[in-house]
């Protein structure tokens, strides 16, 4: 029988009811999935990220086959693998002669452009369908954003609460407030009871992939040892159960805290599973809401968690597609310093940077405040090249796909888009890190020392950043208090700050 549709499913589309499969016919359609070198190498992805994706793809392909689908699965090691999506589409269409090719839109401009390019020259009907795993469509986001003076997540989020009905009591937000963030900024002490996180033992499919990754990507970033990710929907659901039962309760209180010995604290560790399609974001939110309704988790935790998903996650995606393909090139603060080598090795004397980078090497994971207020903050105040920083974040985190990584890095963290949605730059001195973590206790630098030898680099780089960007930020209502403090400082102190910062910038590789 002739093939009707060839359905391409990408590595972050591992969802049984993905739009490309809607109205598909098990008897006449063929699903194409391919492990391709181009995707694995366009940035030096963390080994655990590649292993997770390949293993989750292979498991998903098996599930599809068990459900009666015909799957053409191209392994990285297959002799005739062309190593690109367009090459594999060409090969498959030549061999199968389908009537039409169908794909759900990818999560990155680069891949979308390449697929559109393939479609434009192909002799087949080619359909790119919207990705309806998100709650807000591109048009809905654009309608929301158009003609607004400022794009603020909080406004968007309230509309999403009303639209989804999550944590709503009639027309009002549960508990009377939309946002309980003011209760969510507690530092953690290291004698807190922190739950042991659920980890999954590699099965035979994962073991094969781990061997493959070690052999084919020896120079990629990160450690492959101690791989514990869930690689199937069933295991990802177990990880969700575990989070709801054991960690959600304290998620809110300690959301911004950082502890050297407890890298995961009460975070969900679910982003990798949600972004690849193993978990549905709305279902995850409903589970959290249920925990609140059943009295198992407090409102500040559940609201905070749900806001990250229906608020931040959806908002960030809207920004990515609305800003267009050149967003990742933006550099409004004119920052050009190359990324220091310790971003790849963790070999730095700054204890906070060492802890976050080492954890990233080990786990392909860091939580939000570690990404924003340690590595991101450092990159911002040291004036590192936004594009290099963007490629680093895209490579090193298992949950990193450009639609979500780029606005978080270019926009939220580095202000390189000039403030499309961030109301202020997330720049801070060492005192924030000291307040929210235990990193400073074992640091070679002194957080209380502002200038001179052994002074915490964050302290002087913070002022250097503000002064070199004074033109832009001194009239920003959320930053101008800092400029007033600077103006009140005596001239010697100011010049000491700038001298120390310049010394650190000149020797940035050795910090
Ligand atoms: P939790 O703290 O448990 O939060 C719950 C969920 O909320 C997450 O799983 C995620 O789905 C969602 N979420 C939370 N914050 C955000 C956000 N700012 N944007 C989008 N979704 C959010 N997230 C990614 O998924 N991929 C990335 O590549 C990524 N890069 C980032 C880079 C920087 C510089 C910053 C500051 C943030 C980045 N984030 C990224 C957002 C956030 O840090 C991660 O989603 C979160 O740390 C994932 O861990 P978790 O699942 O334990 O999250
Ligand atoms: C990230 C990634 C990697 C490393 N490898 C593959 C792959 O071999 N095959 C595949 O289909 N997808 C892979 N991905 C995910 C894609 O890069 C992702 O689908 C696009 O970036 C769009 O989000
Ligand atoms: Fe980081 Fe400064 Fe604290 Fe060291 S003293 S851990 S560099 S904030």
């Amino acid at each position: 029988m002739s093939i009707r549709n060839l359905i391409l499913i990408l590595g972050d589309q591992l969802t049984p009811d993905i739009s490309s499969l809607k109205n598909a016919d098990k008897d006449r359609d063929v699903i194409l999935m391919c492990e391709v070198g181009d995707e694995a190498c366009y940035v030096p992805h963390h080994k655990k990220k590649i292993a997770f994706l390949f293993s989750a793809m292979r498991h998903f392909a098996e599930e599809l086959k068990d459900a009666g689908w015909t799957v053409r699965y191209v392994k990285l090691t297959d002799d005739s693998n062309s190593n690109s999506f367009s090459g594999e589409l060409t090969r498959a269409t030549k061999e199968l002669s389908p009537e039409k090719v169908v794909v759900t839109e990818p999560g990155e401009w680069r891949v979308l452009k390449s697929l559109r390019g393939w479609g434009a020259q192909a002799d087949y009907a080619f359909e790119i369908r919207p990705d309806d795993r998100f709650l807000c469509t591109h048009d809905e986001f654009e309608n929301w954003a158009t003609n607004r003076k400022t794009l603020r997540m909080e406004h968007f989020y309230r509309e999403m609460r009303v639209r989804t009905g999550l944590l709503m009591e009639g027309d009002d937000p549960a508990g009377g407030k939309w946002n309980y963030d003011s209760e969510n900024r507690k530092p953690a002490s290291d004698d807190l009871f922190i739950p042991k996180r659920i980890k999954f033992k590699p099965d035979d499919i994962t073991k094969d992939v781990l061997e493959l990754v070690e052999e084919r990507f020896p120079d990629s970033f990160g450690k492959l040892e101690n791989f514990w990710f869930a690689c199937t929907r069933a295991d990802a659901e177990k990880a969700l159960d575990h989070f709801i039962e054991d960690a959600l309760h304290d998620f809110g209180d300690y959301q911004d805290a950082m502890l050297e010995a407890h890298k995961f604290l009460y975070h969900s560790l679910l982003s990798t599973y949600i972004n690849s399609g193993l978990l549905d974001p709305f279902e995850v939110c409903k589970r959290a809401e249920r925990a609140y309704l059943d009295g198992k988790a407090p409102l500040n935790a559940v609201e905070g968690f749900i806001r990250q998903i229906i608020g931040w996650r959806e908002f960030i995606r809207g920004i990515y597609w609305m800003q267009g393909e050149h967003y990742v090139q933006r550099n409004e603060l004119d920052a050009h310093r190359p990324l220091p080598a310790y971003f790849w090795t963790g070999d730095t004397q700054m204890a906070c940077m060492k802890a976050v980078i080492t954890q990233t090497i080990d786990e392909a994971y860091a939580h939000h405040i570690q990404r924003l207020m340690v590595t991101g903050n450092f990159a911002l105040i040291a004036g590192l090249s936004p594009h290099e920083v963007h490629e680093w974040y895209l490579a090193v985190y298992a949950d990193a796909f450009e639609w979500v990584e780029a606005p978080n890095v270019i926009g939220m963290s580095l202000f390189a888009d000039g403030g499309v949605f961030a109301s202020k730059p997330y720049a801070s001195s060492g005192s924030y890190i000291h307040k929210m973590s235990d990193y400073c206790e074992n640091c070679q630098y002194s957080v209380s020392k502002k200038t001179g030898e052994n002074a915490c680099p964050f302290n002087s780089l913070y002022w250097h950043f503000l002064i070199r960007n004074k033109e832009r930020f001194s009239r920003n209502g959320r930053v101008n208090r800092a400029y007033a403090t600077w103006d009140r400082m005596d001239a010697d102190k100011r010049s000491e700050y700038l001298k120390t910062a310049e010394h650190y910038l000149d020797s940035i590789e050795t910090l």
Side-chain angles (χ1 to χ4, degrees):
M1 188 188 297
S2 68
I3 306 282
R4 192 185 65 155
N5 291 344
L6 178 70
I7 302 168
L8 173 64
I9 295 188
L10 304 176
D12 52 357
Q13 299 182 342
L14 309 179
T15 311
D17 61 352
I18 187 92
S19 61
S20 55
L21 284 178
K22 301 249 159 79
N23 312 318
D25 183 337
K26 283 183 180 163
D27 296 326
R28 297 179 60 209
D29 297 342
V30 170
I31 294 172
L32 170 64
M33 296 180 69
C34 35
E35 298 169 4
V36 290
D38 274 11
E39 291 309 300
C41 297
Y42 73 100
V43 289
H45 294 291
H46 197 298
K47 288 178 188 155
K48 282 198 166 100
K49 177 181 184 182
I50 306 177
F52 163 74
L53 273 169
F54 284 8
S55 173
M57 284 170 67
R58 290 184 185 192
H59 281 99
F60 186 65
E62 290 307 312
E63 284 165 23
L64 289 171
K65 283 184 207 161
D66 290 346
W69 294 97
T70 304
V71 182
R72 176 184 166 106
Y73 191 95
V74 183
K75 287 190 171 165
L76 191 78
T77 44
D78 286 357
D79 284 342
S80 33
N81 187 338
S82 64
N83 280 310
S84 72
F85 290 140
S86 46
E88 284 315 289
L89 279 173
T90 301
R91 214 158 63 84
T93 46
K94 265 197 187 139
E95 283 173 32
L96 302 172
S97 298
E99 288 167 22
K100 185 166 142 185
V101 176
V102 178
V103 64
T104 292
E105 66 178 14
E108 189 175 340
W109 281 106
R110 175 186 60 89
V111 181
L112 179 63
K113 271 182 73 178
S114 133
L115 290 177
R116 279 183 179 155
W118 184 86
Q121 56 75 51
D123 290 331
Y124 300 90
F126 186 50
E127 184 186 353
I128 301 182
R129 295 186 180 165
D131 190 343
D132 57 14
R133 295 173 300 170
F134 292 89
L135 298 164
C136 184
T137 66
H138 298 320
D139 284 350
E140 283 164 346
F141 189 82
E142 271 199 58
N143 286 341
W144 173 82
T146 305
N147 298 328
R148 272 173 195 268
K149 266 222 216 85
T150 52
L151 300 180
R152 294 287 176 263
M153 192 288 298
E154 186 63 30
H155 303 148
F156 171 80
Y157 164 60
R158 290 180 190 189
E159 292 195 14
M160 293 301 284
R161 283 276 292 281
V162 173
R163 245 179 71 180
T164 57
L166 285 165
L167 294 180
M168 293 301 293
E169 289 164 357
D171 293 339
D172 299 320
K177 281 202 307 186
W178 293 99
N179 184 317
Y180 290 84
D181 231 8
S182 56
E183 295 171 31
N184 290 356
R185 298 194 182 115
K186 295 195 181 81
S189 61
D190 38 18
D191 57 356
L192 264 182
F193 175 74
I194 314 252
K196 201 165 174 287
R197 305 316 293 257
I198 187 168
K199 297 191 170 174
F200 299 89
K201 238 174 123 176
D203 65 3
D204 287 345
I205 292 182
T206 304
K207 281 184 194 154
D208 278 354
V209 166
L210 292 172
E211 253 175 50
L212 169 77
V213 171
E214 197 58 88
E215 197 187 305
R216 297 294 277 261
F217 306 103
D219 301 327
S220 268
F221 177 79
K223 283 197 182 147
L224 202 49
E225 296 84 35
N226 187 26
F227 180 93
W228 52 263
F229 291 144
C231 295
T232 62
R233 178 171 315 280
D235 281 351
E237 272 161 12
K238 283 187 200 147
L240 170 62
D241 292 344
H242 155 70
F243 167 66
I244 300 280
E245 293 291 320
D246 300 333
L248 174 62
H249 187 277
D250 293 302
F251 171 86
D253 284 1
Y254 302 108
Q255 202 181 337
D256 289 0
M258 298 175 277
L259 286 179
E260 174 121 39
H262 298 288
K263 42 200 172 192
F264 305 129
L265 286 157
Y266 302 95
H267 289 274
S268 70
L269 319 184
L270 296 178
S271 51
T272 302
Y273 310 140
I274 300 175
N275 294 350
S276 56
L278 296 186
L279 291 179
D280 177 73
F282 188 55
E283 291 300 321
V284 169
C285 291
K286 284 207 296 208
R287 286 289 307 277
E289 182 190 44
R290 186 77 259 149
Y292 163 66
L293 294 172
D294 292 348
K296 291 185 173 155
L299 188 52
N300 70 308
V302 174
E303 185 283 315
F305 180 72
I306 287 179
R307 172 159 27 90
Q308 306 312 312
I309 297 183
I310 65 167
W312 276 114
R313 187 172 185 273
E314 294 285 332
F315 177 79
I316 284 287
R317 176 188 185 245
I319 295 283
Y320 176 75
W321 289 107
M322 226 179 99
Q323 287 295 307
E325 63 181 298
H326 301 301
Y327 186 70
V328 296
Q329 308 295 344
R330 294 193 67 175
N331 190 1
E332 295 287 318
L333 301 187
D334 211 21
H336 297 283
R337 196 160 277 109
L339 197 73
Y342 41 80
F343 270 79
W344 300 107
T345 61
D347 193 7
T348 163
Q349 298 168 86
M350 294 178 282
C352 53
M353 291 283 285
K354 192 185 187 73
V356 174
I357 297 168
T358 305
Q359 165 186 331
T360 301
I361 292 171
D362 290 347
E363 306 286 3
Y365 176 84
H367 70 65
H368 187 70
I369 291 300
Q370 295 176 310
R371 297 187 206 196
L372 184 65
M373 298 310 293
V374 179
T375 41
N377 181 20
F378 181 80
L380 173 72
I381 62 182
L384 305 187
S385 149
H387 199 72
E388 286 193 33
V389 177
H390 147 68
E391 292 200 329
W392 183 79
Y393 276 99
L394 189 55
V396 304
Y397 292 113
D399 60 17
F401 299 93
E402 199 177 272
W403 66 266
V404 54
E405 172 276 333
N408 271 302
V409 173
I410 299 285
M412 188 186 306
S413 186
L414 301 181
F415 213 85
D417 61 2
V420 168
F421 64 94
S423 57
K424 60 161 195 173
Y426 282 96
S428 103
S429 68
S431 62
Y432 177 86
I433 296 173
H434 182 47
K435 187 173 95 190
M436 296 311 295
S437 79
D438 60 358
Y439 298 145
C440 302
E441 287 164 22
N442 294 316
C443 186
Q444 308 240 359
Y445 296 103
S446 161
V447 71
S448 58
K449 211 165 167 226
K450 309 292 182 200
T451 59
E453 220 180 317
N454 288 338
C456 165
F458 284 80
N459 290 339
S460 55
L461 290 176
Y462 166 73
W463 286 115
H464 196 273
F465 166 79
L466 284 182
I467 296 315
R468 67 177 188 267
N469 291 293
K470 191 168 184 183
E471 188 74 24
R472 179 181 290 271
F473 294 124
S474 58
R475 282 183 303 277
N476 179 316
R478 298 194 64 193
V479 195
N480 58 11
R481 284 228 316 266
Y483 287 102
T485 306
W486 177 258
D487 290 341
R488 283 197 304 273
M489 236 181 252
D490 74 54
D492 285 353
K493 184 84 196 157
R494 290 195 297 212
S495 108
E496 276 302 306
Y497 265 125
L498 298 181
K499 211 170 98 193
T500 303
E502 262 146 39
H503 166 70
Y504 281 147
L505 290 174
D506 287 345
S507 52
I508 194 163
E509 284 288 352
T510 61
L511 288 182

